[in-house]
């Protein structure tokens, strides 16, 4: 059976989750990230785990990895030198976009410049029509000329985006073959392979970004695979996707845009599985790390999906878990804005140098410094691997307090409250603004700082129940390790619901065949499960709703499809029109290789449990109060605490404020409840 290793690389820490598939023993580890080369922290963590539990390199059967390489490359604009080939007359489409203002009330704000400059956008005379017919033939001379232009440009990656190639990809494929023959080392992205669906601007943008990321991400994947030869040479390597499943490492190098929300998506996968052990199916997740906070709404055990979103201000058209992210985390920097008011984030101290309390040279006040000053963080973190410097926190917060004319504690409380308000706004965006009442959900905090702020966030939203998982600081790594291998397929077939649906039936059959072919070619084990959805809308609408089919390989009767769409529209928008014309736009299929018979693991803690002590902690500006500090490893199922209490563990800290209680359930999760 071997060992499964899950690794999630964050902006501040790299987390490890090691599962023995035979004994179900689990070991966790955490150490600072190495942003210059994430693989260095991965190898260091594997070495530490090897010494701790006697793990031999040949015993690792599966290595699953959540990565921020693609995300950081987009944020930092550090991808490759990318060229683009498109149909004559459309090279500026990538820049014109939808002409949507990024900030509607800021007349000076502009959309980000495309990653491919105008001089590297090349045109070819060809045209595919709206029904997939060839309007203008692409001749060989045109191909030769554009290949010469790309070769002379010095680009190391190239995106090929032709009109209506999602209906007829032949012209794109011919150009792709010619580019590969002339420049074998050129990274090439064809839109018909990246995301073959309608809406040309989003398809072009996604394909260009994929090409832009290919050089950097593929180099990282190759470096990672080479590095793992010494630590996990026999392991099947899987990379977490934004949609929540794993993909082969070679596939990640080809389609790096799919990894842009790799880590946060894995956290949601882990949250669903862990909460199910406690009988919880309706959740709002609160993943607080060092740099950002990610929130997601889970209804009936399933996370909401989205097929179009902005990443680093660029539109991306790909399936992904619907996660809302704000720049609020433990490393978020507090400062006074031009208006003289206290601000927190989105800038972060990151892993290097990190918050001042980490003792690594940080000189700016952060949320972690505020929590340290308020006594809400223990003296040591990461199992004693990091000692917090409270005096350093006081030194960096003091100038801020002086500027604001407040005391140290008042300033620190202000930093925490502003950070919490940013998190609350993110949750409102995925709940209240979409017709959901947060009070109907359980808040599930995780990440290194999730438990620190969960109660404050819950009180702001009137949520009365919180579920803190067994290893909250490692949950993203656990989610990566628990993820199934997954692939997505899509076909555009726009047709009225009352018309001839043979094209939709044909598309379902074609995607079904592609899914089974992918299954046959995959080296991963598991039972193949297919999930088919239709993108449907009223005729004349701009956006679609996803309607899940009962059976993955066939269409239900038209009346049933209409009923499903109307119910979905009613739930989404609060109304529906039974008499209006409806159309189908896309067919989507998700293929998963599901591992059967997963059981609850057993966490193996390191070191000895700490005795209970009391500390003075601030929960409001009136005065500090005594809070008991409890080592979580001493809490067995049935154990109950009344706040104020601070529960410490290797990977996280959970604060139980006054008027809250905490109880450990049979799944070893902590259930916190508000006591009015």
């Amino acid at each position: 059976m071997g060992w499964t290793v899950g690794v999630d690389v964050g902006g501040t820490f790299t987390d490890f989750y090691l599962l023995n598939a035979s004994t179900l023993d689990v070991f966790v580890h955490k150490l600072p990230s190495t942003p210059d080369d994430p693989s260095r922290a991965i190898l260091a963590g594997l070495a530490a785990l090897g010494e701790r539990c006697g793990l031999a390199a040949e015993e690792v059967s599966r290595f699953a990895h959540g990565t921020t390489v693609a995300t950081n490359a987009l944020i930092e604009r550090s991808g490759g030198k990318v060229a683009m080939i498109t149909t004559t007359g459309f090279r500026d489409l990538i820049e014109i976009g939808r002409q949507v203002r990024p900030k509607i009330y800021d007349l000076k704000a502009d959309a980000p410049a495309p990653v491919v400059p105008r001089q590297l956008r090349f045109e070819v005379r060809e045209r595919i029509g709206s029904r997939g017919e060839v309007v203008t033939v692409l001749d060989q001379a045109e191909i030769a000329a554009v290949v010469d232009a790309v070769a002379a440009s010095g680009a190391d990656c190239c995106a090929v985006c032709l009109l209506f190639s999602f209906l007829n990809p032949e012209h794109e494929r011919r150009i792709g073959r010619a580019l590969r023959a002339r420049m074998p080392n050129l990274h090439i992205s064809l839109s018909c392979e990246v995301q073959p669906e309608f809406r040309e601007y989003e398809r072009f943008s996604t394909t260009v970004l994929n090409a832009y990321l290919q050089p950097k991400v593929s180099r990282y994947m190759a470096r990672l695979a080479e590095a793992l030869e010494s630590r996990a040479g026999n392991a099947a390597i899987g990379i977490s996707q934004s949609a929540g499943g794993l993909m082969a490492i070679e596939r990640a190098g080809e389609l790096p845009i799919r990894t842009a929300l790799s880590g946060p998506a894995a956290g949601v996968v882990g949250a669903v599985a862990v909460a199910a052990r406690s009988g919880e199916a309706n959740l709002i997740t609160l993943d607080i790390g060092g740099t950002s906070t990610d929130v997601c709404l889970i209804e009936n055990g399933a996370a909401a999906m989205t097929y179009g979103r902005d990443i680093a201000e660029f539109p991306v058209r790909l399936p992904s878990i619907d996660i809302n992210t704000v720049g609020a985390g433990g490393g978020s920097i507090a400062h006074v804005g031009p208006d003289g008011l206290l601000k927190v984030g989105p800038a972060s101290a990151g892993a290097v140098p990190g918050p001042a309390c980490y003792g690594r040279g940080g000189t700016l006040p952060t949320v972690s410094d505020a929590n340290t000053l308020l006594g809400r963080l223990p003296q040591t973190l990461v199992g004693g691997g990091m000692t917090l410097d409270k005096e350093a926190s006081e030194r960096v917060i003091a100038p801020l307090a002086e500027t604001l004319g407040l005391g140290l504690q008042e300033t620190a409380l202000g930093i925490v409250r502003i950070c919490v308000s940013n998190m609350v706004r993110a949750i409102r965006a995925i709940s209240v603004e979409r017709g959901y009442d947060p009070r109907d959900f359980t808040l599930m905090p995780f990440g290194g700082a999730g438990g620190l702020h969960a109660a404050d966030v819950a009180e702001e939203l009137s949520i009365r129940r919180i579920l803190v998982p067994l290893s909250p600081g490692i949950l993203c790594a656990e989610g990566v390790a628990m993820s199934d291998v997954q692939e997505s397929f899509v076909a555009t077939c726009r047709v009225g619901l009352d018309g001839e649906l043979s094209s939709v039936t044909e598309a379902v059959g074609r995607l079904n065949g592609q899914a089974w072919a992918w299954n046959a070619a995959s080296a991963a084990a598991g039972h193949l499960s297919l999930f088919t959805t239709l993108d449907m809308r009223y005729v004349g609408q701009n956006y679609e709703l996803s309607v899940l089919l009962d059976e993955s390989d066939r269409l239900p009767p038209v009346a049933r499809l209409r009923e499903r769409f109307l119910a979905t529209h009613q739930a989404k928008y609060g109304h529906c029109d039974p008499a209006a014309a409806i159309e189908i736009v896309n067919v989507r299929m998700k293929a998963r290789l599901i591992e059967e018979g997963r059981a609850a693991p057993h966490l193996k803690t390191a070191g000895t449990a700490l005795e209970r002590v009391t500390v003075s902690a601030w929960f409001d500006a009136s005065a500090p109060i005594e809070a008991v500090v409890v080592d979580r490893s001493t809490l067995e199922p049935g154990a109950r605490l009344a706040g104020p209490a601070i529960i410490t563990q290797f990977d996280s800290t959970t604060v139980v404020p006054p008027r809250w209680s905490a109880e450990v359930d049979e799944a070893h999760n902590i259930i916190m409840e508000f006591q009015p």
Side-chain angles (χ1 to χ4, degrees):
M1 296 287 286
W3 293 76
T4 294
V5 178
V7 178
D8 177 59
V9 177
T12 306
F13 286 102
T14 296
D15 303 330
F16 297 81
Y17 178 90
L18 179 63
L19 170 66
N20 186 315
S22 299
T23 65
L24 298 180
D25 288 338
V26 168
F27 299 85
V28 296
H29 190 57
K30 180 187 286 280
L31 76 172
S33 296
T34 50
D36 60 310
D37 181 4
S39 63
R40 287 199 296 111
I42 293 174
L43 291 180
L46 289 176
L49 281 169
E51 294 177 4
R52 179 176 156 197
C53 60
L55 174 67
E58 62 274 9
E59 294 178 328
V60 180
S61 60
R62 189 181 189 212
F63 180 90
H65 178 29
T67 173
T68 57
V69 172
T71 313
N72 292 341
L74 289 177
I75 293 172
E76 298 164 0
R77 305 292 193 266
S78 59
K81 182 179 181 181
V82 59
M84 185 182 83
I85 298 173
T86 190
T87 305
T88 297
F90 288 87
R91 73 171 181 169
D92 292 325
L93 176 64
I94 194 70
E95 191 158 3
I96 295 171
R98 296 287 177 191
Q99 299 191 30
V100 176
R101 288 185 182 278
K103 296 179 181 177
I104 193 168
Y105 296 114
D106 189 343
L107 300 181
K108 296 181 179 180
D110 201 358
V115 296
V116 50
R118 195 170 194 271
Q119 66 270 22
L120 292 182
R121 303 175 211 156
F122 305 105
E123 298 179 333
V124 290
R125 290 188 69 255
E126 66 82 43
R127 190 63 176 265
I128 301 292
S130 61
R131 295 183 299 276
E133 77 280 13
V134 177
V135 177
T136 301
V137 176
L138 175 63
D139 63 42
Q140 204 58 38
E142 283 287 314
I143 295 177
V146 78
V147 169
D148 287 342
V150 173
S153 72
D156 54 6
C157 47
C158 181
V160 184
C161 309
L162 306 181
L163 288 190
F164 293 106
S165 63
F166 60 90
L167 295 177
N168 183 348
E170 181 55 30
H171 287 181
E172 278 196 359
R173 295 193 189 282
R174 286 177 59 196
I175 293 173
R177 287 193 293 268
L179 287 169
R180 291 185 176 103
R182 174 74 177 274
M183 293 165 280
N185 294 324
L186 182 72
H187 296 278
I188 300 169
S189 291
L190 308 182
S191 76
C192 63
E193 296 175 350
V194 175
Q195 193 64 11
E197 63 176 285
F198 92 123
R199 287 202 173 96
E200 65 276 12
Y201 170 54
E202 288 78 8
R203 176 165 54 90
F204 282 25
S205 175
T206 304
T207 306
V208 166
L209 293 178
N210 191 74
Y212 179 69
L213 293 172
Q214 279 179 310
K216 187 167 188 174
V217 175
S218 61
R219 282 196 301 269
Y220 171 69
M221 294 300 168
R223 192 165 61 246
L224 176 66
E226 182 180 356
L228 289 175
E229 283 293 325
S230 62
R231 288 289 174 188
N234 297 328
I237 303 174
I239 306 299
S240 178
Q241 305 183 63
S242 303
L246 298 177
M247 62 198 303
I249 191 168
E250 299 81 11
R251 187 74 166 159
E254 296 169 359
L255 295 173
I257 192 63
R258 288 192 180 183
T259 69
L261 295 173
S262 176
V268 174
V269 172
V272 170
V274 169
R277 298 171 194 158
S278 295
E280 299 282 355
N282 295 319
L283 306 166
I284 293 175
T285 64
L286 181 69
D287 178 6
I288 307 177
T291 306
S292 62
T293 293
D294 303 305
V295 299
C296 180
L297 188 140
I298 297 168
E299 186 178 23
N300 297 324
M305 298 293 294
T306 182
Y307 297 95
R309 64 179 304 144
D310 286 356
I311 299 177
E313 300 183 273
F314 293 114
V316 173
R317 185 75 176 167
L318 282 172
S320 63
I321 292 177
D322 194 3
I323 295 169
N324 191 14
T325 301
V326 291
S332 294
I333 297 170
H335 60 282
V336 176
D339 54 4
L341 299 178
L342 179 63
K343 315 285 185 183
V344 180
S348 172
V352 180
C357 58
Y358 285 5
R360 295 201 183 99
T363 58
L364 298 174
T366 67
V367 175
S368 291
D369 290 308
N371 279 309
T372 300
L373 190 150
L374 294 172
R376 298 185 182 187
L377 277 171
Q379 187 175 357
T380 61
L381 297 178
V382 199
M386 178 183 293
T387 300
L388 297 185
D389 186 345
K390 186 175 181 179
E391 292 182 358
S393 296
E394 293 175 351
R395 284 196 303 271
V396 296
I397 292 177
L400 201 60
E402 184 177 351
T403 301
L404 296 169
L406 299 173
L408 285 176
Q409 286 76 22
E410 288 178 295
T411 304
L413 285 167
I415 292 171
V416 171
R417 286 169 183 161
I418 291 172
C419 185
V420 166
S421 71
N422 292 336
M423 299 170 188
V424 168
R425 280 199 298 272
I427 291 177
R428 289 187 186 277
I430 62 165
S431 56
V432 177
E433 294 178 14
R434 299 182 184 180
Y436 293 100
D437 188 339
R439 294 173 295 183
D440 297 334
F441 293 80
T442 296
L443 186 67
M444 185 171 180
F446 54 95
L452 274 172
H453 302 286
D456 291 336
V457 171
E459 287 192 37
E460 288 287 327
L461 294 164
S462 298
I463 295 174
R464 295 295 183 260
R465 187 174 174 88
I466 298 171
L467 187 153
V468 185
L470 180 60
S471 301
I474 309 292
L475 192 66
C476 287
E478 181 175 356
V480 171
M482 298 172 66
S483 296
D484 299 308
V485 177
Q486 180 175 300
E487 185 60 84
S488 299
F489 307 91
V490 63
T492 293
C493 46
R494 186 175 169 186
V495 60
L497 190 58
D498 294 326
E500 174 57 52
L501 299 184
S502 58
S503 62
V504 181
T505 302
E506 186 274 333
V508 171
R510 186 171 70 253
L511 296 187
N512 191 276
Q514 292 176 13
W516 281 100
W518 167 79
N519 177 47
S522 176
H527 168 69
L528 179 65
S529 290
L530 302 178
F531 307 87
T532 304
T533 58
L534 300 181
D535 288 352
M536 301 175 67
R537 66 185 183 184
Y538 287 121
V539 174
Q541 279 187 318
N542 262 346
Y543 300 100
E544 304 81 44
L545 294 173
S546 292
V547 176
L548 179 66
L549 303 187
D550 293 322
E551 299 180 73
S552 64
D553 59 348
R554 67 189 68 188
L555 287 179
V558 170
R560 180 61 174 156
L561 280 176
R562 181 182 298 277
E563 179 185 315
R564 283 278 182 89
F565 172 77
L566 293 176
T568 304
H569 199 281
Q570 179 71 39
K572 182 77 172 178
Y573 298 113
H575 69 92
C576 63
D577 183 356
I582 300 169
E583 66 179 352
I584 298 170
V585 178
N586 294 314
V587 180
R588 301 183 187 276
M589 186 173 290
K590 179 173 68 175
R592 291 175 58 197
L593 292 173
I594 299 176
E595 290 190 26
E596 305 289 349
R598 283 178 175 159
H602 317 297
L603 180 66
K604 296 292 184 179
T605 57
T608 56
L610 301 175
E611 293 185 7
R612 294 193 182 191
V613 296
T614 57
V615 296
S616 292
W618 293 77
F619 295 93
D620 58 47
S622 59
I625 57 177
E626 294 297 308
V628 62
V629 179
V630 182
D631 190 319
R632 183 162 181 176
S633 65
T634 65
L635 300 177
E636 296 295 330
R640 185 176 176 85
L641 290 171
I646 298 171
I647 303 172
T648 67
Q649 58 190 101
F650 171 81
D651 56 314
S652 187
T653 300
T654 301
V655 172
V656 185
R659 299 196 299 167
W660 283 84
S661 66
E663 184 173 359
V664 182
D665 69 7
E666 291 300 318
H668 293 267
N669 296 321
I670 293 176
I671 306 298
M672 291 174 54
E673 293 185 331
F674 184 71
Q675 308 295 324

